[in-house]
Amino acid sequence: MSYLIHKIRYAFSAQKIPSGTHLIVGLGNPGKIYENTRHNAGQLFVKHISKEFGVKMSDGQNGQIGCFQHVIFFNPLSFMNSSGHPIKKVADKANIPTSNIIIVHDDLDSLPGRCKIKQGGSAEGHNGLKSIIQYMDDKFIRLKIGIGRPNSKDPAIVSDYVMSKLDYEPSQEAFKQGILLVRQLFKF
């Protein structure tokens, strides 16, 4: 865990986390077929952290939403590849700049149980991030939940892999790391 604290301090040493309201968004796909899949790691994290802080997520027009202090938790109802529009709507309604948004998503390039944080940059092939960048910009913070990568680059095999069930133990470890990162960023 001390390694993560060091990474947070390093990643954000040149800047302060902006004041005001923040938005934490979990990327995923709606519907029973996608529940608890690797691709829904972002939405599962937001559900997990909202429970950790005793936040009741309510169904809204664009997805599930809840608040804790100066943070809004949001899981869009849209499919991940179309998530940019509902995220922009919530951010605009709450007057939240892109730099105050944390997007939580699955990461094929990180091992299961690992969590990384990064600000800005390209979509790195992630279609959910591409949609967000299309509607906003790339200045948001990314909280990447490691899901690992299958032993093949075949797109059909990779697709089947991300749509398979998320491994419980590693995901819980990644969620603990992610909550620690959020606590450090927002000082709560």
Side-chain angles (χ1 to χ4, degrees):
M1 287 293 182
S2 63
Y3 170 75
L4 283 173
I5 302 297
H6 175 72
K7 289 227 15 149
I8 295 168
R9 289 190 183 123
Y10 176 77
F12 296 98
S13 61
Q15 64 189 27
K16 286 181 124 182
I17 295 299
S19 61
T21 303
H22 292 77
L23 178 62
I24 299 178
V25 179
L27 294 187
N29 288 321
K32 287 263 185 222
I33 191 170
Y34 301 107
E35 276 184 13
N36 301 315
T37 62
R38 291 179 170 101
H39 210 37
N40 275 28
Q43 288 196 348
L44 292 168
F45 174 82
V46 168
K47 288 178 183 178
H48 190 85
I49 194 172
S50 64
K51 283 183 187 172
E52 175 87 10
F53 292 119
V55 175
K56 182 179 181 335
M57 298 289 283
S58 302
D59 291 334
Q61 182 178 5
N62 296 305
Q64 292 184 322
I65 198 159
C67 297
F68 177 78
Q69 294 181 11
H70 58 281
V71 178
I72 297 171
F73 299 102
F74 179 56
N75 277 338
L77 278 177
S78 64
F79 281 89
M80 185 183 298
N81 297 355
S82 305
S83 57
H85 186 251
I87 294 168
K88 179 162 178 48
K89 283 174 74 173
V90 170
D92 286 351
K93 188 171 185 173
N95 199 26
I96 300 172
T98 309
S99 59
N100 282 28
I101 299 173
I102 297 177
I103 302 296
V104 187
H105 64 89
D106 59 311
D107 184 26
L108 281 165
D109 295 323
S110 294
L111 294 173
R114 300 302 293 250
C115 189
K116 291 182 183 178
I117 194 163
K118 174 185 174 186
Q119 184 160 24
S122 74
E124 299 174 353
H126 195 288
N127 290 327
L129 297 179
K130 284 179 189 174
S131 176
I132 296 164
I133 292 168
Q134 175 187 349
Y135 279 92
M136 303 166 90
D137 59 45
D138 68 350
K139 306 294 186 247
F140 53 88
I141 299 167
R142 298 118 195 268
L143 184 60
K144 302 174 172 194
I145 305 294
I147 62 168
R149 181 179 287 281
N151 292 331
S152 173
K153 295 200 182 235
D154 180 324
I157 292 173
V158 172
S159 178
D160 287 346
Y161 177 79
V162 299
M163 295 304 175
S164 65
K165 295 295 179 198
L166 186 64
D167 297 323
Y168 181 78
E169 291 297 325
S171 66
Q172 294 306 301
E173 181 57 34
F175 293 170
K176 279 196 261 182
Q177 291 176 22
I179 288 171
L180 178 63
L181 291 169
V182 169
R183 284 186 181 279
Q184 288 292 318
L185 287 174
F186 298 125
K187 313 269 188 283
F188 58 71

